[in-house]
Amino acid sequence: MANLYLSMTDALIKHWKANGNAYPRKFILTPAQHEAYVASRRLGIGAHNVDGSTHMDVPVEIAEGTPGVMVAADGTEVSLQ
């Protein structure tokens, strides 16, 4: 899931640039996406031995039925695909 890590990081950087360095509200991942994300982090993508509760200080929420999104500061959902 290195691609998910990169997608999340890219979305965050774009959000910072567009919103004066404001943080988005959160990321929302499916259980399968989150499991793969945490596994990739433990293998050294970005860092190791993380629990996956945050991505670069942005909370990560787990929910069924999401395509994988970042919730911007204004509440807009941005796809991570």
Side-chain angles (χ1 to χ4, degrees):
M1 260 304 134
N3 288 339
L4 181 57
Y5 174 86
L6 295 175
S7 294
M8 292 168 74
T9 302
D10 185 55
L12 179 56
I13 290 168
K14 287 177 181 175
H15 188 276
W16 281 336
K17 287 181 180 179
N19 295 281
N21 291 326
Y23 275 79
R25 293 181 187 180
K26 61 187 170 183
F27 290 99
I28 306 174
L29 306 176
T30 66
Q33 288 171 324
H34 186 260
E35 183 179 323
Y37 169 76
V38 170
S40 71
R41 296 292 306 268
R42 288 190 174 140
L43 290 174
I45 306 291
H48 58 77
N49 297 325
V50 299
D51 64 3
S53 63
T54 63
H55 178 78
M56 299 177 76
D57 295 327
V58 178
V60 175
E61 195 174 283
I62 304 165
E64 292 288 346
T66 181
V69 297
M70 178 188 72
V71 180
D74 66 1
T76 305
E77 291 188 356
V78 178
S79 175
L80 296 174
Q81 303 300 328

